[in-house]
Amino acid sequence: MKPTLALPALLADSLIIAGLIVAGLTLASPAPAAADTLVDNVDGFTLDGDGGVERLTGLVIGSDGRIVQVLHRGDKRPSRPDYLVDGKGQILMPGLFDSHVQMSELGFSGLTLDLSAARSLAEAQARIAAYAAAHPDRPWIIGRGWDTERWGLGRLPTAADLDAAVKDRPVWLIAAEGQLGWANSAALAAGGVTLASKDPSGGRIERLAGSQKPSGILAGQATALIEAIAPPPRPVDRDVALANAQEQLLKHGVTAVADMGTTIEEWQAYRRAGDAGTLRVRVVAYARGIDAMTLIAGSAPGPWLYDDRLRMGGVSLDLDGSLASRGAWLKAAYADSPTIGLPRLSGTQLRNLMSRAAMDGFQIAIQASGDAATGTALDAIAELAPTYTGERRWRIEHADLVNAADFARYGAFGVAASMQPARLTRALPIAEARLGPARLAGAHAWNALASGGARLAFGSDAPTSPPDPFAGMAAAITRQDAEGQPFGGWQPQARVTREAALAAYTTQGAWAAFAERRFGRLAPGLRADFVLVDRDPLLASPSDLRAIRVLETWVGGQKVYAANIPPVTSARQEDPAGRRATP
């Protein structure tokens, strides 16, 4: 589920000042690519159309930002290019595609209270109290990133825990995995969450042991009880968050993303950035449900805009929650709880929504984590595929647990498995606790899905995990964390090859978004999206792969990020009416 963002209405002091990492001001409005740009003297590679590795030593880029020629050793170079880039022997590779992000949440995660570094409840409480003291004018304290698994708390935190840090105003904090919200007593009161409150469909209000009193934790669709009354971000806040999200992506070499759950407000932020020339990352948007889909795109998928930087072509449908929150819909009860999860749609409801989108030609991405959810999604695809013919490229997002009998069904219907390898480190202890040993072979089963014919498209689920595709590749090929644990890899049979991991972050990701004829590899006629890195990811050890540093990122033949140029910050203020003042 993509939670609705909420921010205080008064952000003059920190979001617009600290937040104007306006990431993008560094290279936000790059000059148009020169005609016949020659990028030469590089040790480059790309994947070819069949998944093989093609080595290259240079690129010729036209004035439209597309590749004119891929150069190999011994090929004749243009004699007088208008612009020459000497790569100085650096490694050049295709720009990377993150197939599952929440752009707004990623942007805001760097601009609001961040608890991702807190290693205990006490440390989190101290950070929350310090943040509230530093922002006395905020009517709400908003943040994310808490993780009780990391804290070793042995329980979920409570409103009382949060009241101990801040009790004079509402506090609302989203968990690191994105499916749980933590509210203090003031926030519960503001949302009308009381003893008499009923669990909403697809959600759960956690209760204190032995009573019906809300504990302060809301799961799944229950988070909407607080999000509906928390102050929403203003357009200017969304613009700042988008700039910040782009900077985070570009510094990791990500040149294109699939934004899962785009709202009309987020779409308008993309359009403002596109109109202003500051949309640097390519965004393939999947609307947050049918209503957002029709509001944004109308009766048919939208066209590619801003030189292939933006498109609304699909819809994201939430079928269940996450394993971490016990919201994933399982066929059998959790090993550590009698529940089977929190299904958000029945099979009939899912089919009705899919039919509504498919009849107008929209691509469908189903967010399904548990084996019952993935099985239900496949059942719906099997039923609808004969009616909605043509190349649909059905997508299933997450697929944290898949029943062995369903592996081959992915291939039978040409389903893209959009999965997030970098989450494995955090997911490993959660999967073992939630599933027990008997079901672990189907958990994050990348190789089994690929062997069954699924098209793997890898992403980060940012901000749940950092948008670092190199860390994702390392996890995909080793099934280990950054410390090389566990020895031999967790469920090592699920590892994929290095080339398959790279394809899942490039060519396969583009294919899963109907973008392979525009970008995803380096070939004549495609957009010149590439990165320069400090070591070859096809040769680096897993630890070196995680340590890869992106030196430059180019999108459409334009340099949009350079590691040696720090982001520009701004002391731009706002007047009390919310209008931007002159810097």
Side-chain angles (χ1 to χ4, degrees):
M1 182 184 76
K2 182 173 185 177
T4 302
L5 285 167
L7 286 177
L10 300 176
L11 302 180
D13 54 326
S14 78
L15 186 55
I16 302 301
I17 298 174
L20 276 172
I21 303 169
V22 160
L25 293 182
T26 310
L27 292 164
S29 300
D36 294 327
T37 298
L38 172 61
V39 180
D40 204 4
N41 188 23
V42 295
D43 182 4
F45 67 86
T46 187
L47 295 181
D48 59 28
D50 299 319
V53 177
E54 175 187 352
R55 290 286 172 175
L56 58 96
T57 58
L59 297 172
V60 179
I61 305 168
S63 59
D64 60 357
R66 290 184 172 87
I67 297 170
V68 175
Q69 185 180 2
V70 175
L71 298 170
H72 307 90
R73 194 175 304 279
D75 287 348
K76 184 178 180 180
R77 270 55 178 165
S79 58
R80 300 189 57 162
D82 293 289
Y83 188 57
L84 173 64
V85 178
D86 183 356
K88 299 179 181 179
Q90 294 173 334
I91 305 298
L92 182 149
M93 62 179 291
L96 296 155
F97 194 120
D98 190 316
S99 289
H100 191 111
V101 302
Q102 292 85 42
M103 284 285 277
S104 282
E105 286 88 338
L106 175 60
F108 282 117
S109 68
L111 306 175
T112 53
L113 173 59
D114 181 7
L115 295 176
S116 60
R119 296 183 177 274
S120 67
L121 173 61
E123 184 179 343
Q125 289 171 318
R127 288 174 179 266
I128 295 163
Y131 188 90
H135 303 91
D137 296 331
R138 299 276 180 93
W140 281 64
I141 300 299
I142 303 294
R144 67 174 299 135
W146 56 273
D147 185 349
T148 54
E149 297 290 337
R150 185 179 189 187
W151 298 349
L153 193 60
R155 63 173 176 85
L156 290 170
T158 65
D161 293 326
L162 205 42
D163 291 343
V166 179
K167 62 181 179 181
D168 64 336
R169 53 193 143 150
V171 181
W172 178 237
L173 307 169
I174 298 297
E177 48 77 38
Q179 300 293 316
L180 296 175
W182 179 19
N184 69 350
S185 296
L188 291 175
V193 182
T194 68
L195 284 165
S197 298
K198 304 296 184 183
D199 289 347
S201 176
R204 182 175 61 246
I205 301 170
E206 298 287 347
R207 316 283 175 165
L208 294 177
S211 78
Q212 286 298 302
K213 183 178 180 180
S215 72
I217 296 296
L218 304 174
Q221 301 289 56
T223 58
L225 298 173
I226 304 299
E227 288 159 357
I229 50 89
R234 302 163 302 170
V236 65
D237 305 329
R238 293 189 182 279
D239 295 342
V240 172
L242 177 56
N244 182 57
Q246 290 187 91
E247 190 72 12
Q248 293 185 61
L249 293 162
L250 293 169
K251 77 177 182 180
H252 287 301
V254 176
T255 57
V257 300
D259 182 34
M260 282 294 155
T262 308
T263 65
I264 182 61
E265 294 84 3
E266 291 161 354
W267 178 259
Q268 289 169 331
Y270 292 140
R271 293 302 303 264
R272 288 192 295 273
D275 291 343
T278 58
L279 187 60
R280 299 176 291 159
V281 173
R282 302 190 191 280
V283 179
V284 183
Y286 291 78
R288 187 180 182 181
I290 299 297
D291 290 345
M293 179 190 82
T294 55
L295 184 61
I296 294 169
S299 60
W304 287 92
L305 304 170
Y306 310 116
D307 293 328
D308 295 339
R309 277 178 167 79
L310 181 63
R311 184 176 187 245
M312 171 60 73
V315 62
S316 173
L317 303 175
D318 287 344
L319 189 50
D320 69 346
S322 69
L323 283 173
S325 66
R326 298 185 185 86
W329 183 14
L330 305 185
K331 291 179 178 291
Y334 281 79
D336 58 356
S337 174
T339 182
I340 61 166
L342 293 171
R344 295 175 182 163
L345 298 169
S346 68
T348 299
Q349 290 171 321
L350 178 64
R351 287 167 174 77
N352 289 341
L353 294 173
M354 291 173 65
S355 294
R356 174 64 185 84
M359 69 174 60
D360 285 338
F362 288 93
Q363 188 185 15
I364 297 165
I366 306 169
Q367 301 209 39
S369 292
D371 55 353
T374 55
T376 298
L378 290 165
D379 289 344
I381 291 169
E383 183 175 317
L384 297 180
T387 300
Y388 301 105
T389 56
E391 196 167 14
R392 292 287 170 170
R393 302 188 189 180
W394 315 94
R395 295 176 61 126
I396 296 180
E397 309 295 315
H398 304 310
D400 293 336
L401 179 65
V402 179
N403 188 281
D406 287 334
F407 291 147
R409 293 214 287 165
Y410 274 78
F413 301 111
V415 176
S418 174
M419 307 177 77
Q420 300 80 42
R423 294 170 55 220
L424 183 69
T425 298
R426 183 176 177 277
L428 187 157
I430 293 172
E432 291 180 338
R434 302 288 187 268
L435 301 176
R439 289 181 284 189
L440 292 181
H444 308 280
W446 310 318
N447 187 53
L449 283 166
S451 298
R455 296 281 198 118
L456 297 182
F458 285 163
S460 63
D461 198 23
T464 299
S465 297
D468 182 354
F470 298 109
M473 287 183 207
I477 66 175
T478 65
R479 304 281 289 193
Q480 294 175 322
D481 63 18
E483 285 71 47
Q485 296 298 319
F487 179 77
W490 186 76
Q491 299 293 318
Q493 75 280 356
R495 291 182 297 217
V496 299
T497 67
R498 197 174 292 246
E499 291 77 14
L502 176 63
Y505 280 108
T506 55
T507 55
Q508 297 280 62
W511 179 89
F514 283 95
E516 77 278 10
R517 294 183 180 179
R518 299 170 189 274
F519 48 86
R521 62 190 180 98
L522 303 175
L526 301 189
R527 296 290 182 180
D529 300 350
F530 59 89
V531 294
L532 295 171
V533 294
D534 66 349
R535 65 201 79 182
D536 191 335
L538 293 176
L539 302 175
S541 67
S543 60
D544 282 347
L545 188 55
R546 291 180 183 273
I548 282 179
R549 180 169 177 256
V550 174
L551 305 175
E552 294 180 3
T553 303
W554 292 61
V555 177
Q558 302 171 349
K559 187 195 299 183
V560 293
Y561 170 82
N564 61 348
I565 302 177
V568 174
T569 59
S570 171
R572 178 161 38 193
Q573 300 276 358
E574 292 201 345
D575 67 21
R579 296 185 296 269
R580 290 193 178 199
T582 303

